[in-house]
Amino acid sequence: MPIRCEIVSQDRIVFEDDVDMVILPGAMGEMGILPGHAPLLSSLKMGVIRVKRGDQEEVFTATGGFVEVQPDIVTVMADAAENIDEIDEERAQKAMERAEKLLEEYSGADTENYLQIQAALRRSNLRLKAVSQFRKRGQRSRPPGMGRSE
Ligand code: ATP
């Protein structure tokens, strides 16, 4: 008996299917959810979600959110989530460089802004790390030669 898994971000349904297991970055540590799991509600840390179907595994990045577990369904509500194959490395690299530059230039005046830049740096690091760790060799977010020219 499988368990339904839905990963929803603020703007779209990122993943929806019957699966065998979902591994999530729960607030209290990594959580492995199998079919028939007891109901629970937890916040999620920024990190990687792994979804197992047979001998296949799909990997997603999520920048925090919540998970609701029922015995027959896992619903992830993420701030932002992407399949690692959808991640645009160039965009994440640019986001990282932008955040690093802003942190260097930071004058100490605006704490809220500082925290936002730090969060942007963490998001871009997560995406780049997840791609290098989990994307299968040879796969790219876009075919060679199809990138933007900028
Ligand atoms: P950027 O500065 O490049 O916009 P960000 O960290 O500020 O990055 P988020 O606010 O986390 O972006 O996400 C906004 C939307 O863009 C979400 O739908 C997210 O899935 C998507 N997104 C962000 N970065 C990437 C990326 N590198 N590749 C693919 N999708 C991305």
Side-chain angles (χ1 to χ4, degrees):
M1 185 190 65
I3 187 166
R4 188 87 184 154
C5 174
E6 291 182 7
I7 302 176
V8 185
S9 73
Q10 291 190 19
D11 48 357
R12 69 193 175 110
I13 297 171
V14 179
F15 179 86
E16 195 180 17
D17 208 351
D18 292 336
V19 306
D20 297 321
M21 186 179 187
V22 185
I23 300 165
L24 299 153
M28 309 290 283
E30 196 169 75
M31 298 167 25
I33 309 294
L34 293 164
H37 196 287
L40 80 84
L41 188 60
S42 169
S43 58
L44 290 180
K45 289 194 287 203
M46 186 179 294
V48 162
I49 299 172
R50 291 188 288 157
V51 175
K52 291 176 186 282
R53 273 184 295 194
D55 57 3
Q56 289 189 332
E57 182 176 80
E58 288 202 56
V59 183
F60 301 85
T61 46
T63 62
F66 287 91
V67 60
E68 186 197 5
V69 180
Q70 295 291 334
D72 58 350
I73 182 165
V74 182
T75 311
V76 174
M77 285 147 286
D79 297 331
E82 308 89 33
N83 187 308
I84 51 154
D85 293 335
E86 298 171 326
I87 291 175
D88 180 339
E89 276 184 275
E90 192 180 311
R91 174 174 168 181
Q93 184 70 33
K94 281 191 177 152
M96 188 189 78
E97 285 164 14
R98 195 166 53 236
E100 279 177 343
K101 189 156 177 285
L102 286 170
L103 283 182
E104 263 171 42
E105 291 165 357
Y106 179 69
S107 66
D110 183 346
T111 312
E112 196 177 318
N113 190 30
Y114 181 78
L115 293 175
Q116 279 176 12
I117 302 165
Q118 267 197 334
L121 184 59
R122 286 210 309 275
R123 291 195 297 275
S124 55
N125 277 329
L126 167 71
R127 289 174 177 129
L128 291 171
K129 223 177 113 192
V131 165
S132 71
Q133 192 176 349
F134 294 103
R135 190 177 288 169
K136 290 175 198 80
R137 218 176 305 195
Q139 276 183 352
R140 287 164 175 259
S141 56
R142 278 177 276 146
M146 295 285 286
R148 283 172 303 208
S149 54
E150 70 199 79

